[in-house]
Amino acid sequence: MSGLFRGVDHVGVGVADMEEAKAFYSRVGFSDVRFDWTGVVPGPDRQARVVMLSNPASTPVGAGSIKLVQVLDDGGTPAAPTGGGWGELGISEICLHARGVWKVHRALVDAGAQSLMEPLTAAVDPNDVSLDIAYVADPWGGKLELIEWTGLWHSLPGPARAEGVNHVAFGVADMARTREFYGRLGFTEMLFESTDFFEPMAPWYPYGPPDQHMIMLFGGQGAGIEPVVLEPEGPDCRGEWGHIGPFDFAVGVSSLERGLGELHALGVDTGEPVTIDVGGGGQWRFATFRDPDELYVTLVEPRY
Ligand SMILES: [Fe+2]
């Protein structure tokens, strides 16, 4: 439904030490704390501290925010899934749009981040859209991609900088099923499709390079999604709710109730709408569901 769904609003990242995580994400531009709330998060019913961060340099190609989540129940934040490379079931990466990929990558590496892929220029089919791309690891090993979509839009003028989230990548079992499902949630425009193995990723796979099928879908607003099917599929990297690293993402909606109505019409079971007062007149309004691959997804109506 055009206009109701607003693309990926944010990606949820599990953290063991909130202050350390806030400091890192502030260094990559996410300095605007939209809310900082501690309580029981319904759905999984976990006691957690949740900090929603946006990036003041966000543009339409880097529109998404980051939600840091520290589980405070006994046992704390669950460990990250292990054994994967990229594209196994579960969330694989967060991609930030960047103005000046070489400079932003260099600045992060100089600040101590590990380079996972040196900057390079590529283009994607079927529209030959050019991009600059690089990867670093965050301090907890999570993959942070940097892209400047040079063939799409060059962002706003200004110095080299990381902007907001451009897309979130996750592994799925059935590409046609995923495309159909997320198409109904507004992700109707395909930026690229590839069945060629992206060779610079080869060193990431502990079990040897698989075949990769990936597509990238956007709606008219918000960040996009990059579902991936691997062959062989590799280990299950979905993990528990709130685990270290990216563990869920949220699709923005202009009306939570109307968005839920669309999901129910598709036969998707959802949690009840939740409204959390985050102070200062702000509300975190969301509802949880599991997508066709049982990934954790929320609908969010941001009022903060
Ligand atoms: Fe990506």
Side-chain angles (χ1 to χ4, degrees):
M1 183 179 277
S2 165
L4 172 59
F5 295 109
R6 298 186 165 183
V8 171
D9 178 85
H10 64 258
V11 182
V13 179
V15 304
D17 183 326
M18 184 60 80
E19 296 312 318
E20 214 179 322
K22 279 174 71 179
F24 174 76
Y25 278 100
S26 178
R27 279 204 301 282
V28 286
F30 291 85
S31 57
D32 184 6
V33 178
R34 308 300 295 277
F35 65 80
D36 183 342
W37 175 85
T38 299
V40 174
V41 180
D45 291 338
R46 298 278 189 280
Q47 178 78 16
R49 180 177 172 193
V50 180
V51 176
M52 189 72 75
L53 298 174
S54 66
N55 186 323
S58 279
T59 66
V61 281
S65 300
I66 297 276
K67 174 183 69 185
L68 301 179
V69 175
Q70 183 172 2
V71 177
L72 302 173
D73 292 319
D74 288 349
T77 301
T82 57
W86 185 88
E88 299 82 8
L89 285 181
I91 299 184
S92 308
E93 73 178 23
I94 298 171
C95 175
L96 307 181
H97 199 262
R99 180 175 179 83
V101 165
W102 269 259
K103 283 186 176 173
V104 175
H105 178 267
R106 178 50 48 202
L108 286 171
V109 170
D110 286 349
Q114 180 196 357
S115 174
L116 294 177
M117 188 186 292
E118 290 295 303
L120 60 101
T121 292
V124 285
D125 290 332
N127 298 311
D128 196 31
V129 177
S130 60
L131 65 145
D132 297 336
I133 180 175
Y135 276 86
V136 297
D138 71 20
W140 306 276
K143 290 185 172 69
L144 207 51
E145 182 180 24
L146 304 167
I147 280 186
E148 181 165 6
W149 286 108
T150 53
L152 199 60
W153 197 46
H154 281 267
S155 173
L156 290 167
R161 62 186 180 241
E163 301 175 353
V165 174
N166 175 260
H167 64 263
V168 56
F170 49 89
V172 303
D174 181 332
M175 190 60 88
R177 178 179 69 177
T178 293
R179 195 170 174 190
E180 160 74 17
F181 180 78
Y182 283 101
R184 301 292 292 270
L185 301 190
F187 294 91
T188 53
E189 308 307 314
M190 190 166 75
L191 179 56
F192 81 86
E193 176 162 30
S194 172
T195 52
D196 294 330
F197 182 72
F198 189 45
E199 200 55 44
M201 290 181 174
W204 297 357
Y205 291 96
Y207 53 89
D211 288 339
Q212 294 175 327
H213 179 194
M214 54 181 109
I215 65 175
M216 192 171 292
L217 301 170
F218 284 86
Q221 305 174 67
I225 56 174
E226 185 182 23
V228 185
V229 174
L230 298 184
E231 175 59 41
E233 64 186 9
D236 184 338
C237 292
R238 288 175 287 194
E240 294 177 54
W241 187 89
H243 69 70
I244 297 279
F247 70 91
D248 80 353
F249 62 92
V251 177
V253 278
S254 56
S255 158
L256 184 57
E257 282 69 20
R258 290 188 67 190
L260 284 170
E262 289 289 311
L263 281 177
H264 296 156
L266 292 172
V268 178
D269 286 335
T270 70
E272 292 296 315
V274 174
T275 300
I276 289 175
D277 179 352
V278 292
Q283 291 179 329
W284 179 25
R285 298 202 74 226
F286 68 95
T288 59
F289 64 99
R290 307 293 284 272
D291 86 347
D293 291 280
E294 297 286 314
L295 300 178
Y296 294 103
V297 187
T298 66
L299 286 187
V300 66
E301 182 189 321
R303 293 185 178 177
Y304 38 78

